[in-house]
Amino acid sequence: MALLHQHLGRQLRPRSRLTSQRIRNAAVALALCLTVLYFLTRPAPPDEVALLEQHMNAGPPMYPINVVKSTIDWGRIAPRHPPRERPVQLPRHAPGRGPRRPRIQHRFGKETAEERQTREARREAVRDLTRKCWDSYRRYAWKQDALLPLSKAGRDQFSGWAATLVDSLDTLWMMGLRDEFDEAVAAVAEIDFGNSSTPQVNIFETNIRYLGGLMAAYDLSGRAVLLEKAVELGDLIYAGFDTENRMPVDNINVAAAAEGVGLWVENAVVSASPGTLTLEMTRLSQITGDPKYYDAITGIVDLFFRGQNQTALPGLFPMFVSMSRQDVTTGATFTLGGCADSLYEYFPKLHALLGGVGGPQLPFLTRGFMDAAKRHLFFRPMLPPTDTPTPDILLPGNVNVDADLIAHLDPETEHLACFIGGTFALAGRLFATEDDVAVGARLTRGCVYAYRAFPTGLMPERLNTYKPHLPRGFTTAKDPRYILRPEAIESVFYLWRITGGAEWREAAWDMFRAVARATATETGSAAVLDVTVDVERGGTVPLEDYMESFWIAETLKYFYLIFSPPDLISLDKYVLNTEAHPFLLP
């Protein structure tokens, strides 16, 4: 700027033949130049800087880091069943020759001042609630897995490795809670992944909450200690593949594994358990350059790929599979809900993480399950005639296949299955099938409808048979709880980011107000035991003394992202794991 003034000053020094009109013209030109320069060089509004660029110049940590090495070095334990000598390498393409990455996000236009003001107020409401919940966790349950908000205490359930703390790292970062983030990172550095509060470590939960949380926070902040601890944990999960057939165990006995005692692959596990290791282990190979993690999960992908069209409902996999027998085809019950959900979610997401160069398996698996789901699992529920116009919705059900291979739809819906609308929309953009985006929108509207239909504004865990006090169009609230789940708002987030439709932001705000009101406690938020209580007639919502780690890690994060600028965690730059942890696309 000083050089510009100096240059212009030289040009404007009066000369003997310079007229007053020329002086005025030059002054006008200077003013215009300075105005243009101001708009080109002025900083972005504080909102944008805080959300989109803060981490680029975050500076050193605000808390001292004392890295504690885990008492078991999982990477140094000699395997009883060594992997192949030449591990499968991450697929790559020659520079300039790879497939063009499809655009996922809607091209958002400039918002008006009024739209911005409304959005920011809503975002701050989400941030305030998050901070309240986090402060309560820090005060009453620090370094424990979960907060008990009513009794103001903590509880361990996932190995005692501070699940809420690790799970919430990237949420704290995104929300600009820098001091809280740095304190949490310092605590993470001291976690001992060789010492579990339970004899068995569940590989699935450890993978999505802990490993996913560490890698996402590393991708966002670049803090080296997070990668160091992620490698320790990744080596633990990798040790779970030390079996005769190199298929992973569902639970790993820490003491036995540390002593080199052989692991036994379970005869039957839910299909989501092995199927939901693929994204995180692939990302760990991408970050570290060590192909062993990706090599381990290729056997899982191969197994599901080989079996997809050999099941009783070709395209879909039974609820339970056997890793010991390497059998993913035997079974007669099929669902997109609990036990199977993230198996299907990871097919298109792994394709995206690999940049579309992972070969034909993932597109085949994705299209196969989507086509089968449209044919067999999705249904339009009977709605009350008072709903005008009639909502254009779908809901995901379950299917049981009888001995004659006839498929019977069970129109039971559960909250866990509400992820499928977002997955359909994402896959629709990845594979350029806009009809699937439309199907995803109808499925998401179905879950939004379920929220709005109940007097608390919350959808129950599971819906099925008839009771008179429920809204028409629904049968029994088979499980009437709301345990702070994210799946419905997850799909609303995807539909908002992919289509840009205003209905999704408004639906999100309705959902947030209902959730915040019904779950409110002095210390933050607690699970709801019965969403069918008629609060309008004076009913009191019964609460459960529990706050799951995914409340901050997923549910509040999705709400926050919906009311943030769309470049914050863009779907064209990140892929989110099933716990809403964003992994940077390579």
Side-chain angles (χ1 to χ4, degrees):
M1 182 68 78
L3 290 175
L4 177 65
H5 279 292
Q6 184 180 2
H7 173 72
L8 290 174
R10 285 199 299 268
Q11 298 298 316
L12 294 178
R13 290 191 184 110
R15 296 182 181 177
S16 58
R17 290 176 296 194
L18 191 63
T19 65
S20 60
Q21 180 63 42
R22 291 174 65 190
I23 293 174
R24 286 194 294 272
N25 290 344
V28 171
L30 172 61
L32 288 173
C33 182
L34 291 175
T35 300
V36 170
L37 186 62
Y38 166 74
F39 282 105
L40 288 176
T41 61
R42 68 172 179 169
D47 172 287
E48 311 297 325
V49 172
L51 293 175
L52 307 178
E53 298 178 0
Q54 175 177 302
H55 67 284
M56 300 301 293
N57 300 291
M62 300 173 68
Y63 287 82
I65 301 296
N66 175 35
V67 180
V68 175
K69 292 285 187 181
S70 294
T71 51
I72 300 173
D73 187 344
W74 295 100
R76 295 179 66 87
I77 296 176
R80 290 171 60 92
H81 304 283
R84 56 193 132 205
E85 292 184 6
R86 295 184 178 180
V88 176
Q89 301 293 312
L90 284 165
R92 291 184 173 87
H93 57 76
R97 293 189 177 183
R100 183 177 180 182
R101 193 187 300 275
R103 183 178 179 87
I104 305 299
Q105 280 208 169
H106 175 75
R107 296 183 185 275
F108 289 91
K110 185 178 180 180
E111 60 187 354
T112 66
E114 182 179 1
E115 289 171 337
R116 180 188 174 106
Q117 184 178 16
T118 299
R119 174 181 62 75
E120 289 184 346
R122 293 175 175 180
R123 187 196 67 211
E124 285 308 300
V126 179
R127 188 174 184 266
D128 288 345
L129 179 55
T130 306
R131 173 172 262 166
K132 180 179 180 180
C133 293
W134 176 260
D135 288 347
S136 294
Y137 169 76
R138 183 184 180 279
R139 181 177 181 182
Y140 301 114
W142 187 242
K143 295 187 179 182
Q144 292 184 267
D145 286 341
L147 170 69
L148 305 179
L150 300 181
S151 57
K152 298 181 181 178
R155 188 175 88 188
D156 285 337
Q157 66 177 127
F158 298 120
S159 307
W161 295 330
T164 293
L165 189 153
V166 178
D167 225 358
S168 302
L169 285 170
D170 52 5
T171 300
L172 298 175
W173 183 267
M174 292 176 205
M175 293 189 180
L177 301 176
R178 168 71 187 284
D179 188 62
E180 291 85 346
F181 175 83
D182 283 350
E183 183 181 28
V185 170
V188 165
E190 298 177 349
I191 296 176
D192 180 1
F193 291 125
N195 183 18
S196 171
S197 63
T198 57
Q200 300 284 337
V201 171
N202 183 268
I203 293 295
F204 171 84
E205 300 291 358
T206 300
N207 180 65
I208 65 172
R209 300 189 196 225
Y210 291 112
L211 180 58
L214 290 170
M215 289 193 299
Y218 171 76
D219 270 348
L220 291 171
S221 70
R223 297 287 168 79
V225 65
L226 297 173
L227 177 57
E228 186 175 343
K229 301 304 284 188
V231 170
E232 287 184 4
L233 201 56
D235 285 339
L236 185 158
I237 295 172
Y238 183 77
F241 287 79
D242 186 17
T243 63
E244 189 172 355
N245 61 9
R246 298 300 299 175
M247 290 290 113
V249 296
D250 198 36
N251 293 284
I252 184 170
N253 185 297
V254 174
E259 295 174 3
V261 177
L263 301 176
W264 296 97
V265 184
E266 294 86 352
N267 183 54
V269 296
V270 297
S271 58
S273 181
T276 314
L277 301 177
T278 58
L279 201 67
E280 291 79 5
M281 296 294 271
T282 296
R283 183 60 187 148
L284 190 56
S285 278
Q286 290 177 337
I287 295 174
T288 63
D290 188 337
K292 73 177 185 180
Y293 310 106
Y294 175 72
D295 175 74
I297 61 93
T298 57
I300 298 174
V301 177
D302 289 344
L303 180 62
F304 281 106
F305 176 71
R306 293 195 305 268
Q308 185 172 33
N309 286 331
Q310 299 175 26
T311 70
L313 209 61
L316 296 167
F317 297 96
M319 186 182 295
F320 291 92
V321 296
S322 175
M323 292 293 99
S324 62
R325 301 193 310 273
Q326 298 188 66
D327 178 4
V328 297
T329 64
T330 302
T333 302
F334 298 83
T335 182
L336 295 175
C339 302
D341 45 6
S342 45
L343 164 70
Y344 299 108
E345 177 187 355
Y346 273 24
F347 292 151
K349 287 186 174 182
L350 184 56
H351 174 79
L353 185 64
L354 290 171
V357 296
Q361 291 178 315
L362 295 167
F364 184 88
L365 286 162
T366 302
R367 293 184 174 120
F369 100 78
M370 291 172 68
D371 289 344
K374 285 185 287 188
R375 287 195 305 271
H376 299 290
L377 296 179
F378 300 157
F379 66 96
R380 185 181 179 280
M382 180 181 68
L383 300 175
T386 53
D387 285 347
T388 54
T390 303
D392 185 18
I393 68 175
L394 290 173
L395 289 175
N398 305 322
V399 163
N400 295 301
V401 178
D402 64 22
D404 296 322
L405 297 183
I406 298 175
H408 301 275
L409 175 68
D410 175 9
E412 176 179 292
T413 293
E414 56 182 306
H415 197 289
L416 277 166
C418 282
F419 83 96
I420 194 60
T423 295
F424 256 70
L426 176 65
R429 281 292 162 86
L430 280 171
F431 298 109
T433 53
E434 285 300 310
D435 287 347
D436 289 325
V437 177
V439 170
R442 295 179 69 194
L443 288 161
T444 305
R445 287 192 193 101
C447 291
V448 170
Y449 180 88
Y451 268 72
R452 290 172 171 166
F454 284 83
T456 54
L458 304 179
M459 178 183 176
E461 275 283 284
R462 188 171 296 175
L463 296 162
N464 207 332
T465 56
Y466 177 80
K467 275 190 179 179
H469 74 282
L470 294 182
R472 287 191 61 182
F474 295 100
T475 53
T476 291
K478 194 171 184 179
D479 184 344
R481 297 175 302 155
Y482 170 74
I483 62 172
L484 309 175
R485 284 210 188 275
E487 289 78 17
I489 193 60
E490 172 185 351
S491 283
V492 171
F493 162 76
Y494 277 99
L495 267 296
W496 161 247
R497 287 291 190 88
I498 289 171
T499 71
E503 67 172 294
W504 304 114
R505 242 185 194 172
E506 293 310 307
W509 182 238
D510 289 346
M511 292 165 69
F512 175 74
R513 287 186 297 175
V515 168
R517 180 175 58 249
T519 65
T521 74
E522 179 188 349
T523 57
S525 300
V528 172
L529 290 170
D530 189 353
V531 305
T532 70
V533 172
D534 194 341
V535 292
E536 295 182 359
R537 295 186 179 183
T540 300
V541 178
L543 298 177
E544 181 182 5
D545 190 16
Y546 193 60
M547 188 187 83
E548 271 274 13
S549 74
F550 55 59
W551 171 240
I552 296 178
E554 296 187 72
T555 311
L556 290 175
K557 181 191 296 171
Y558 281 126
F559 279 121
Y560 188 80
L561 288 174
I562 289 172
F563 300 120
S564 295
D567 283 343
L568 181 63
I569 314 300
S570 166
L571 295 180
D572 292 313
K573 296 180 180 178
Y574 294 89
V575 60
L576 282 73
N577 86 335
T578 194
E579 196 78 2
H581 295 308
F583 300 154
L584 190 63
L585 293 172

